[in-house]
């Protein structure tokens, strides 16, 4: 055992003990945080406009500050981006996190001196919880790789600006930086495919012990390793023991990823966003992610089915229930106020509060009134694959096929890139359709009434999703294809790319 892994154990025990204290008083923790946030920002432009100095309770916040998305808050974000101080939070941001929005184009999310610790400590604490739970810290003595965006930052009116993963790269603790790959020169390469080849060059022959990134891009890395050497990842990296991921549901990628590795490895799921680090998997094997209630974010939850109502209820952690779909709303020390994150979650535990990420509030399929969410199509795919064990899926998305002929009913179209296709495509499509009917009663009603006919399965050629993302200039890094859409934009782009 190396010195890093040895020293990690007492630090892990301290961190878990500290977190158990706020877990024991979740409502008081969030209440204190809300009062601190509003008192701190009362003198800002936003604070004066919304009388934050008078906000003491969640009810006050709901009365004074409406739920808004990035577009609705854009006037304040634009003032911050232009270099104005004291707009959303005292002073000027430390960074602007640049991210691509589905409806708002490029977004610039402020990261303040107060909020940077939320991003950095969240990932660090996830590793410490893992070490405490398992006693396995030897990965700290090997080489670590974080497949991320470029750490090279640009200046916007004196504010350092870049991708969140690149910003976080500048805050990797010094004791880990010596273990970190790839090199800075490789990490700043913008073209993902060129960068990937250089990463393979630098990591082959190294004692890789931890690999982190969004699953589809990690899969690309593994594919390149195997293509270069003809060997599975386990033979190339015998010390590889921990996979850390976030950004998408791991389940559709799990089978192929572990096949590429050649053996099981432990994994930790994170829930990061440019707007804040929300949760992490604190118990190996438990799919629930521990919601970080003491990390600068005050949480509200809007029932997903009521989100677009004018006066939708805004619940705190005191009000949420198990197994309900909620849209996440954040108020934070980054200067976000009743900010609609866009993600939906479902609570799987209330003591402590743990969630699973179920999709996007704007990424649902309800072209016919069915309101299908990401979690439902992912579970349907998993069920169908269990019935057809020969199948391996690389990527997929679901879109409506709206018939213009009254005599021809409409349907869903599943566009799937297979690593191994089903022996019987029609049977696999039927299994998908039946599984989704079991998951979503509205879809089942539409199918029973023949308003929708059985789904259409459209296999895509190898590499179609990568070519589509490349055509958008969004290959690699933190980018991902939406699972669902209410229009044909993504579907037609994929068909064209295929």
């Amino acid at each position: 055992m190396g010195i890093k892994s040895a020293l990690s154990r007492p630090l892990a025990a301290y961190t878990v003990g500290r977190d158990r204290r706020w877990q024991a008083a979740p409502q008081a923790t969030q209440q204190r945080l809300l009062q601190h946030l509003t008192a701190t920002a009362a003198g800002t432009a936003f604070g004066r406009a919304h009388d934050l100095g008078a906000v003491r309770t969640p009810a006050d916040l709901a009365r004074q500050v409406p739920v808004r998305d990035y577009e609705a808050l854009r006037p304040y974000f634009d003032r911050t981006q232009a270099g104005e101080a004291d707009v959303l939070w005292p002073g000027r941001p430390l960074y602007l996190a640049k991210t691509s929005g589905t409806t708002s184009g490029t977004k610039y999310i402020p990261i303040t001196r107060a909020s940077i610790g939320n991003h950095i400590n969240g990932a660090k604490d996830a590793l410490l919880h893992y070490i405490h739970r398992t006693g396995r810290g030897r990965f700290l003595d090997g080489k670590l790789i974080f497949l991320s965006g470029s750490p090279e930052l640009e200046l916007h009116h004196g504010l350092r600006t870049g991708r969140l993963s690149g910003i976080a790269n500048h805050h990797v603790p010094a004791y880990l930086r010596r273990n970190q790959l790839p090199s800075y020169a490789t990490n700043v390469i913008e073209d993902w495919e060129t960068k990937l080849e250089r990463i393979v060059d630098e990591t082959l022959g190294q004692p890789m012990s931890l690999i982190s990134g969004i699953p589809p891009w990690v899969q690309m890395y593994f594919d390149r390793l195997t293509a270069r050497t003809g060997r599975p990842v386990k033979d190339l990296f015998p010390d590889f023991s921990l996979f850390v991921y976030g950004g998408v549901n791991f389940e559709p990628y799990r089978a192929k990823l572990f096949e590429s590795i050649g053996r099981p490895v432990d994994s930790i799921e994170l829930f990061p966003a440019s707007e804040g680090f929300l949760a992490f998997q604190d118990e190996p094997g438990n799919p629930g992610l521990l919601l970080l209630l003491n990390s600068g974010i005050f949480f509200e939850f809007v029932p997903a089915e009521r989100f677009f109502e004018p006066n939708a209820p805004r619940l705190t952690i005191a009000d949420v229930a198990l197994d309900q779909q909620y849209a996440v709303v954040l108020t934070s020390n980054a200067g976000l106020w009743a900010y609609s994150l866009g993600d939906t979650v479902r609570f799987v535990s209330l003591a402590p509060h743990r969630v699973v990420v179920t999709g996007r509030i704007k990424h649902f399929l309800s072209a016919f009134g069915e309101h299908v969410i990401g979690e439902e199509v992912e579970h349907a795919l998993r069920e169908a694959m269990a019935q057809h064990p020969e199948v391996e899926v690389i990527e997929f998305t679901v879109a409506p096929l709206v018939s213009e002929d009254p005599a021809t009913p409409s349907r869903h179209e599943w566009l799937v890139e297979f690593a191994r296709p089903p022996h019987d495509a029609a049977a696999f499509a039927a299994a998908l359709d039946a599984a989704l009917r079991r998951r979503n009663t509205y879809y089942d009603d539409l199918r029973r009434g023949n308003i929708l006919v059985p789904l259409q399965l459209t296999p895509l050629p190898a590499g179609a999703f990568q070519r589509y993302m490349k055509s958008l200039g969004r290959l690699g890094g933190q980018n991902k294809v939406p699972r669902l859409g209410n229009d044909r934009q993504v579907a037609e782009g994929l068909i064209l790319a295929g």
Side-chain angles (χ1 to χ4, degrees), residues 15-154:
T15 300
V16 171
R18 177 204 65 196
D19 290 349
R20 283 176 177 160
R21 288 191 288 274
W22 60 256
Q23 289 170 34
Q27 296 174 40
T29 298
Q30 284 275 279
Q31 176 65 30
R32 285 194 301 269
L33 176 59
L34 176 61
Q35 292 178 352
H36 170 73
L37 294 172
T38 55
T40 302
T44 63
F46 187 93
R48 294 191 301 272
H50 295 80
D51 196 16
L52 291 184
V55 172
R56 297 288 186 272
T57 68
D60 295 337
L61 182 68
R63 184 169 52 252
Q64 298 293 109
V65 185
V67 173
R68 298 182 175 106
D69 60 11
Y70 185 89
E71 198 60 40
L73 282 168
R74 183 183 285 276
Y76 291 99
F77 288 131
D78 285 349
R79 289 169 63 180
T80 297
Q81 186 185 343
E84 185 178 341
D86 303 322
V87 178
L88 291 159
W89 192 255
R92 301 175 71 202
L94 192 61
Y95 300 101
L96 294 175
K98 183 179 179 180
T99 183
S100 298
T102 55
T103 58
S104 302
T106 300
K107 300 190 293 186
Y108 294 89
I109 306 296
I111 298 177
T112 65
R113 293 187 184 277
S115 72
I116 186 64
N118 161 264
H119 293 280
I120 306 309
N121 293 330
K124 179 196 69 173
D125 290 354
L127 297 178
L128 291 172
H129 273 255
Y130 168 81
I131 291 169
H132 182 75
R133 296 283 187 177
T134 66
R136 300 169 193 155
R138 297 188 68 171
F139 67 88
L140 293 171
D141 300 322
K143 294 290 186 179
L144 323 174
I145 187 168
F146 306 97
L147 295 173
S148 66
S150 171
E152 197 165 50
L153 305 180
E154 57 189 17

Side-chain angles (χ1 to χ4, degrees), residues 34 180 192 236 269 282 309 368 414 418 422 432 477-478:
L34 176 61
Q180 182 185 0
W192 173 248
L236 302 174
E269 182 176 359
D282 65 316
E309 294 180 6
F368 314 102
W414 289 59
F418 291 102
L432 274 176
Q478 312 305 301

Side-chain angles (χ1 to χ4, degrees), residues 271 287-289 325 344-348 354-359 375:
F271 186 4
L289 310 183
Q325 298 288 339
T344 58
V345 300
R346 174 169 54 84
F347 281 87
V348 295
R354 293 193 182 100
V355 300
V356 294
V357 184
T358 57
E375 183 183 47

Side-chain angles (χ1 to χ4, degrees), residues 279-337:
F280 60 74
Q281 189 176 16
D282 65 316
E283 285 188 348
N286 186 334
L289 310 183
L290 180 69
L291 203 62
L292 301 183
L293 303 178
N294 72 327
S295 190
I297 298 174
F298 177 78
F299 291 93
E300 294 176 279
F301 302 93
V302 178
E305 72 276 8
R306 301 186 62 184
F307 182 79
F308 295 102
E309 294 180 6
N311 296 302
R314 292 162 61 173
L315 310 180
T316 69
I317 55 163
D319 310 310
V320 294
L322 296 175
D323 296 322
Q324 303 294 314
Q325 298 288 339
Y326 297 107
V328 181
V329 175
L330 307 179
T331 289
S332 79
N333 54 11
L336 305 180
W337 299 97

Side-chain angles (χ1 to χ4, degrees), residues 130 240-243 250 254 257-258 261 263-267:
Y130 168 81
F240 175 35
S241 62
L242 185 60
F243 173 50
F250 184 34
R254 182 185 294 275
L257 203 83
F258 282 131
I261 297 169
R263 60 173 168 81
V265 298
D266 288 350
S267 62

Side-chain angles (χ1 to χ4, degrees), residues 193-204 221-231 236:
E193 292 175 295
T194 303
K195 180 175 180 174
L196 200 54
E197 291 297 332
R198 289 280 294 275
I199 291 173
V200 171
D201 292 338
E202 292 188 4
T203 53
L204 277 175
Y221 169 53
F222 288 169
D223 290 345
R224 296 292 175 92
L225 287 167
T226 299
R228 179 86 66 90
T229 65
R231 301 165 66 191
L236 302 174

